[in-house]
Amino acid sequence: MVQIKIYGTASFIRHSRSAISEAIHSCVVEALVYPQDKRAHRFFPLEPDDFIYPVGRSEKYIIIEISMFEGRTIETKKKLIRLLFSRLSEQVAIAPIDIEITITETPKHNWGIRGTTGDELNLNYQ
């Protein structure tokens, strides 16, 4: 299970939401061997007064927070991060300096999905 939050300036997010989502999803599918039809992206467009970010970043600066079941290897998570930097740069023209990514892993039993806990959920993928 993977859920993703994307924070950025309202003007940029609203203009680039579809392209960002497509790029992120392609990375998740490839790195995590995730089903193509599973996507949970939430965008948080923020007004300039509500999104204070480091000096040297552009109006395309985004923060990506990824929540997922624990258990993937370090190499898999690094692959995901590298793909995100690469594809967001190539496909959406966001410079790597304007991208920050965090991955948070939690045990399956800490998730509630479709009326059950994550560890009792029957998924049709690994």
Side-chain angles (χ1 to χ4, degrees), residues 10-59:
S11 60
F12 180 65
I13 289 292
R14 289 187 180 117
H15 176 261
S16 304
R17 181 179 8 238
S18 293
I20 293 169
S21 182
E22 288 300 323
I24 289 172
H25 190 60
S26 73
C27 296
V28 169
V29 167
E30 182 176 333
L32 304 181
V33 192
Y34 205 66
Q36 183 68 34
D37 65 337
K38 302 286 183 189
R39 186 184 312 210
H41 297 175
R42 289 170 283 166
F43 286 85
F44 296 84
L46 301 165
E47 295 305 322
D49 289 346
D50 297 322
F51 193 43
I52 300 166
Y53 47 85
V55 173
R57 305 312 192 274
S58 80
E59 72 284 346

Side-chain angles (χ1 to χ4, degrees), residues 69-85:
F69 288 163
E70 67 182 354
R72 291 171 176 95
T73 66
I74 291 171
E75 293 78 20
T76 296
K77 291 178 276 188
K78 285 185 174 186
K79 179 179 181 177
L80 175 59
I81 290 169
R82 289 184 182 112
L83 283 171
L84 287 165
F85 283 129

